[in-house]
Amino acid sequence: GSNERAPLVLSIFLRTSIASHVENLEEPLDVNKELKLLACTSDFLKAYHGLMKIITTPFPFPLVQMTRTFLFVWVYSLPFALSSDIEEIIPLTFVVFFITYGFIGLEFVSMELDDPFGKDDNDFDAMGLARVVSD
């Protein structure tokens, strides 16, 4: 919607302001400074389009499904694999708990990172950053 167009509108506004510096400034910018500012706005647009590519590229669902399946098979078979190395139940329980906690935690982190530009509390605040830049 309109939020996706905000960086484009900002870029047009910046380019227009840079191009009209002769009329608006008491002392016009040096040509090299003007070109540097225009290059910065171009870099800004390239970065924005790179982010839009990341946002709009779908992640293949079968890959996610197979990765989760392998993770859960590995986690549930871990106690059986470690039982021959760690024969006492208390250390085995702690080792399995912490390894499982770590890998399931990584899975939850990957689920959060799946859509970093959404509307969740943990998502990247792109509009807040845009407001800071525009102010």
Side-chain angles (χ1 to χ4, degrees):
S2 63
N3 288 344
E4 294 167 358
R5 292 183 45 192
L8 300 175
V9 172
L10 177 63
S11 177
I12 291 170
F13 172 74
L14 287 173
R15 284 183 163 277
T16 305
S17 297
I18 294 167
S20 66
H21 71 90
V22 175
E23 295 90 24
N24 296 330
L25 295 177
E26 291 178 12
E27 187 175 320
L29 292 173
D30 182 45
V31 173
N32 291 330
K33 287 183 181 179
E34 181 181 359
L35 291 175
K36 180 71 174 171
L37 288 172
L38 289 172
C40 286
T41 58
S42 291
D43 291 343
F44 171 73
L45 276 179
K46 286 179 192 173
Y48 172 72
H49 286 296
L51 287 174
M52 289 306 292
K53 274 197 261 183
I54 291 171
I55 292 170
T56 57
T57 302
F59 203 69
F61 180 71
L63 180 64
V64 173
Q65 187 178 22
M66 289 305 298
T67 304
R68 287 188 183 148
T69 303
F70 285 131
L71 172 70
F72 289 119
V73 167
W74 187 83
V75 164
Y76 287 123
S77 65
L78 181 64
F80 302 113
L82 290 178
S83 65
S84 63
D85 294 334
I86 305 173
E87 296 185 9
E88 296 178 23
I89 192 71
I90 303 280
L92 177 65
T93 305
F94 279 114
V95 168
V96 168
F97 171 77
F98 285 114
I99 291 174
T100 302
Y101 184 78
F103 276 98
I104 299 298
L106 285 175
E107 178 60 25
F108 280 116
V109 167
S110 74
M111 289 175 2
E112 282 294 323
L113 291 177
D114 185 33
D115 184 22
F117 302 106
K119 301 290 183 201
D120 296 335
D121 291 337
N122 292 336
D123 289 339
F124 183 71
D125 187 19
M127 289 309 294
L129 185 59
R131 271 188 240 104
V132 168
V133 169
S134 68
D135 290 340

